[in-house]
Amino acid sequence: MNSGQMDDLQQLWTELQSFSKQVRMPQRTFAELMSRLRAVLGYDFVIDENYPLQNVCTMISEDKMVKLGQVATPSLVARLIVELCLETPSDKVLEPCFGTGVFLVSAFRRLSELRGRVHDENIGSQIFGLELDPVSFIDGIKNLVSETGTPLPRGNYFCGDLFDFRVNPVFDAVVMNPPYVRQEDLTSGLPFLNKDLIRQKCLNFPDRTVKLSARSNLYAYFFIQLSKFLKEGGRLGAITSNTWLDSSFGRGLQEFLSDEFQIEYIIDFDKDVFPDVAVEGCIVILRKVTEKSRHPTKFARIKERLQVEVVRQLLGGKEGNYEDARMRVVAVSDRTLRRDHKWSKFLWAPLETVSIMDNEMTANLSSLARVMRGITTNCNKFFMPGPGILKNYGIEKPLRQIIGSPKDLEYFDTTLPSVKSSILFIDEDDLGNPHVAKYVADWKEHLLKVETKSSLSKRVLEHPADWFSLPRLKSGPIIFSYILRANKSFILNASEIPVRDNFYIISPNNCDALLLFGILNSTLTKIMLEMVGRRYGQGLLKVQAYELEDMLVPDPRKMSEEMKKAISSLARQLSRLRLDDPAQHAIVSNIDSLLLDYLKTNLRNERLKQIENSVLSARLSRKGHSDFLDPGSL
């Protein structure tokens, strides 16, 4: 590219940028600018005359960054990704959202390095780029030319929407920092911000339709779309939000990546990668494969400032799990990743714990029992009034015992005196009782005049004949509170008293309830709860139903009858104790010993308890900018 072309590019860039101060850019003016850009570069564009790409140019800079999810990539992060993805001097690479061109420059330098640092103008023909924003498009090309001093080949760079992108080459690598646009913001009439249009273009493959949650961030669609452009054995490397590692909407993306790729590396940092953005980033390196056998995925956490060469060496050097002051690397099997959807814990959980999660003698709780939530009243003030209110109305029936709160529980077994709550379980016949009828009528008036927007008031309008009735009360042999602090005890509900919706009901279907009760109260399970739960403020841990179902526990179906009897006997002893009885610790320790022997692990009780104490008190700290990649000899 000569100086005259660079001057023309600068002029076009200035003109396009100036439109950010205008309310609306005329389509004709924008088309003329695009025509001039085509003439200067001799490139193709994946837009037609009616494509509303000019809307991007009229966004003010700050608004554009938010709406398009633009976040600048640190150059050293781009370099690490490129070096992990490009392996041979002939590799063809695509950057689908190149912005200011940091990945393009890194790719050029990597290919030069693979060629022995010989300056070869043909390298440019191996690098392809796509960018939606016309201003960034020109900016990125200018930066690539000025940084590398290379002429740009015809037909390698495209201004437009990835989901309308069509190109003949099949790439050896794709590298990117995809847009960070939440699903709530994918509702625009603009095609590049319209979730319904994106899903139509992205999720249909020749042999199947990909199942992806409609709550997915835009970056998830980028992963799926770009898999279509990679050849067998090709790599996809990205720095992206880490939300998909743990969230329910990330499951579809996890399953797609596990099916289409060998997930080679997931790399995290002890500090945030992006200093000015509320996004916790991770690096993902994928290799497209169709063979059935898969190698373990390496989860790596960089702890201190390291040169890119050192990171690559540590990633590829040692086999198995290891950790030192610089970095931690944990290998996790494809089998475990497919049955355990909370992936971020593999980045920070104690190494011994990861080995247990990867143990073949464990199983998801969902394979052993059904998990469901207790009953939701939608108005506890009506269905669970205080005893003083009921006394004022003269109501003694129809009351049913219910476990309404963890405070109702004093023992490990509900057959012992624990229950303190009651619930009104009213049907139409109960209205024959004048006291009950008066209570219902007063509340109906209150709901229609005062609490008009409550869930129960809506039910009054929609179901006037039986709004006061509850569905069948829910119960089961084991119960568990889903919001926890220090106490993570499972309760044997041998009398199957109904419970409210701040409890989960666990109904075994493939094992004995007493045996499962013993396993669930082990120290192992307490650790696994920390792995699957979500940390909230004030030391709370919240466990969703699907997270509890995903939790890995020692599989009782593979145990010997002798072991089952031993654990069940200990569980029976535990069930007779108060929740605050210190005698429980010796019983749980004996259960732990049996389970550790069963799992054939070298981990012993003392270390197991140390791990539980450490994960119980651990709080992730991610404030501050990550400077964990050292420029070294850039």
Side-chain angles (χ1 to χ4, degrees):
M1 177 177 291
N2 57 43
S3 59
Q5 288 174 311
M6 283 294 286
D7 291 341
D8 290 339
L9 275 181
Q10 181 61 47
Q11 178 62 33
L12 283 165
W13 183 84
T14 302
E15 291 182 41
L16 283 167
Q17 196 175 47
S18 70
F19 279 104
S20 66
K21 301 175 183 178
Q22 300 184 18
V23 176
R24 185 172 181 271
M25 177 191 291
Q27 176 68 40
R28 182 175 178 180
T29 303
F30 179 76
E32 289 174 354
L33 288 172
M34 292 294 98
S35 179
R36 286 167 55 195
L37 186 58
R38 183 194 301 269
V40 172
L41 299 178
Y43 291 170
D44 292 328
F45 295 83
V46 289
I47 55 174
D48 57 37
E49 293 183 357
N50 297 316
Y51 197 89
L53 202 56
Q54 73 273 15
N55 293 62
V56 177
C57 295
T58 58
M59 296 177 186
I60 61 174
S61 298
E62 294 79 6
D63 193 34
K64 182 196 298 184
M65 291 178 65
V66 173
K67 286 189 176 180
L68 299 186
Q70 296 174 334
V71 180
T73 309
S75 60
L76 291 169
V77 170
R79 179 185 167 194
L80 175 60
I81 291 171
V82 165
E83 292 194 11
L84 290 172
C85 289
L86 297 181
E87 291 189 318
T88 69
S90 61
D91 281 348
K92 287 184 178 179
V93 57
L94 169 69
E95 214 292 41
C97 41
F98 63 75
T100 58
V102 62
F103 276 103
L104 301 178
V105 173
S106 294
F108 186 91
R109 289 175 174 166
R110 172 62 172 165
L111 290 171
S112 296
E113 178 185 284
L114 291 170
R115 291 181 179 226
R117 297 192 179 277
V118 177
H119 184 76
D120 187 342
E121 293 184 354
N122 291 327
I123 290 176
S125 66
Q126 299 169 221
I127 302 173
F128 294 74
L130 177 67
E131 172 57 46
L132 177 71
D133 178 8
V135 176
S136 295
F137 177 81
I138 298 175
D139 205 20
I141 287 177
K142 287 195 310 173
N143 290 338
L144 175 61
V145 173
S146 62
E147 289 282 339
T148 64
T150 182
L152 299 177
R154 182 182 180 86
N156 281 34
Y157 295 88
F158 305 85
C159 183
D161 188 349
L162 169 66
F163 301 102
D164 288 331
F165 181 53
R166 300 291 181 270
V167 66
N168 290 327
V170 177
F171 298 101
D172 300 282
V174 173
V175 291
M176 65 170 175
N177 175 4
Y180 296 78
V181 182
R182 301 177 308 158
Q183 62 93 10
E184 295 91 343
D185 297 323
L186 294 175
T187 56
S188 170
L190 301 174
F192 45 84
L193 291 175
N194 187 300
K195 178 168 54 181
D196 292 336
L197 287 176
I198 291 171
R199 291 177 68 86
Q200 290 173 19
K201 297 174 182 177
C202 173
L203 300 184
N204 293 321
F205 282 66
D207 56 341
R208 72 191 192 286
T209 298
V210 176
K211 294 181 179 179
L212 187 70
S213 170
R215 296 189 294 115
S216 298
N217 188 297
L218 182 57
Y219 65 75
Y221 299 99
F222 265 63
F223 277 105
I224 293 170
Q225 184 73 357
L226 289 164
S227 70
K228 302 171 184 177
F229 303 139
L230 276 172
K231 72 178 185 181
E232 178 73 9
R235 283 185 168 83
L236 192 162
I239 172 74
T240 188
S241 164
N242 64 10
T243 53
W244 64 279
L245 295 177
D246 280 346
S247 60
S248 58
F249 67 77
R251 286 189 175 198
L253 180 60
Q254 289 178 352
E255 291 171 2
F256 175 82
L257 296 183
S258 295
D259 289 340
E260 291 289 316
F261 296 94
Q262 163 66 51
I263 305 174
E264 294 191 323
Y265 304 113
I266 294 177
I267 305 170
D268 196 19
F269 300 85
D270 270 359
K271 299 288 184 180
D272 288 341
V273 175
F274 303 113
D276 301 318
V277 183
V279 171
E280 295 182 359
C282 68
I283 291 173
V284 187
I285 306 296
L286 311 165
R287 183 168 60 88
K288 190 170 183 178
V289 293
T290 55
E291 72 269 15
K292 298 299 181 182
S293 61
R294 303 290 177 91
H295 300 294
T297 295
K298 288 188 176 181
F299 285 77
R301 195 176 87 239
I302 300 174
K303 299 181 178 183
E304 64 178 31
R305 187 177 172 88
L306 297 175
Q307 293 186 12
V308 170
E309 291 82 358
V310 175
V311 175
R312 289 177 56 200
Q313 180 184 9
L314 292 175
L315 284 173
K318 298 180 181 180
E319 294 298 327
N321 303 342
Y322 73 92
E323 184 170 8
D324 58 27
R326 301 169 299 170
M327 190 168 167
R328 156 200 168 106
V329 178
V330 171
V332 182
S333 68
D334 181 66
R335 175 183 60 86
T336 295
L337 293 182
R338 289 179 182 273
R339 65 178 183 157
D340 188 342
H341 296 284
K342 299 277 281 189
W343 287 5
S344 70
K345 62 175 171 282
F346 300 119
L347 293 163
W348 59 267
L351 295 183
E352 302 101 321
T353 306
V354 175
S355 298
I356 290 173
M357 288 185 280
D358 214 17
N359 193 300
E360 293 185 355
M361 306 302 282
T362 61
N364 297 105
L365 182 59
S366 60
S367 67
L368 304 171
R370 180 187 175 204
V371 177
M372 63 177 179
R373 193 93 171 262
I375 189 167
T376 298
T377 68
N378 289 321
C379 186
N380 291 333
K381 290 187 293 184
F382 173 77
F383 289 103
M384 300 181 68
I389 294 175
L390 294 178
K391 184 178 181 180
N392 289 340
Y393 275 93
I395 296 177
E396 297 180 358
K397 295 180 180 181
L399 289 174
R400 296 277 298 275
Q401 281 190 328
I402 192 169
I403 300 173
S405 162
K407 295 179 181 179
D408 290 350
L409 300 170
E410 298 178 14
Y411 291 83
F412 277 93
D413 189 344
T414 60
T415 58
L416 299 170
S418 295
V419 179
K420 300 175 182 176
S421 298
S422 298
I423 189 168
L424 279 170
F425 198 75
I426 306 170
D427 59 30
E428 193 172 353
D429 292 340
D430 292 316
L431 295 182
N433 181 323
H435 305 294
V436 174
K438 169 67 173 167
Y439 179 77
V440 170
D442 288 350
W443 258 95
K444 182 178 181 180
E445 182 179 1
H446 172 78
L447 290 167
L448 295 177
K449 290 183 177 181
V450 180
E451 295 190 30
T452 56
K453 294 184 179 181
S454 68
S455 297
L456 195 58
S457 66
K458 293 178 182 178
R459 182 168 170 80
V460 170
L461 297 174
E462 294 172 359
H463 303 278
D466 61 353
W467 65 268
F468 46 81
S469 297
L470 286 172
R472 182 178 62 88
L473 295 179
K474 300 176 182 178
S475 182
I478 302 172
I479 59 174
F480 179 68
S481 175
Y482 77 99
I483 296 183
L484 315 166
R485 198 179 294 278
N487 182 16
K488 298 191 283 287
S489 298
F490 289 77
I491 306 300
L492 187 66
N493 189 20
S495 51
E496 299 212 357
I497 300 173
V499 296
R500 252 191 62 207
D501 58 358
N502 48 6
F503 288 94
Y504 291 128
I505 299 163
I506 302 169
S507 301
N509 49 31
N510 279 321
C511 65
D512 177 71
L514 185 62
L515 173 60
L516 185 60
F517 164 75
I519 293 171
L520 291 177
N521 278 295
S522 68
T523 305
L524 278 171
T525 299
K526 291 179 173 65
I527 294 172
M528 293 305 166
L529 282 168
E530 296 286 346
M531 302 294 142
V532 301
R534 303 180 185 187
R535 288 170 173 79
Y536 277 66
Q538 301 180 359
L540 296 176
L541 186 74
K542 185 176 181 179
V543 183
Q544 301 286 2
Y546 72 88
E547 293 167 335
L548 189 61
E549 290 173 336
D550 280 346
M551 183 177 68
L552 294 171
V553 297
D555 189 348
R557 297 169 298 183
K558 299 179 181 180
M559 292 178 178
S560 67
E561 291 301 319
E562 183 180 1
M563 178 168 287
K564 291 179 183 178
K565 289 179 181 178
I567 294 175
S568 296
S569 176
L570 291 166
R572 178 63 69 192
Q573 296 175 43
L574 183 66
S575 70
R576 299 189 182 108
L577 299 180
R578 294 179 62 92
L579 290 171
D580 58 359
D581 192 332
Q584 66 181 281
H585 302 307
I587 297 173
V588 170
S589 181
N590 287 332
I591 293 174
D592 290 339
S593 295
L594 291 169
L595 294 177
L596 291 174
D597 288 342
Y598 170 65
L599 295 175
K600 296 182 173 63
T601 175
N602 294 325
L603 192 61
R604 294 296 96 192
N605 286 37
E606 183 178 351
R607 175 58 183 153
L608 191 68
K609 192 62 183 176
Q610 288 175 350
I611 292 173
E612 189 214 346
N613 290 335
S614 68
V615 296
L616 179 63
S617 60
R619 292 295 178 265
L620 299 178
S621 176
R622 301 184 62 93
K623 293 182 179 179
H625 174 42
S626 174
D627 226 0
F628 280 29
L629 291 176
D630 192 328
S633 56
L634 255 181

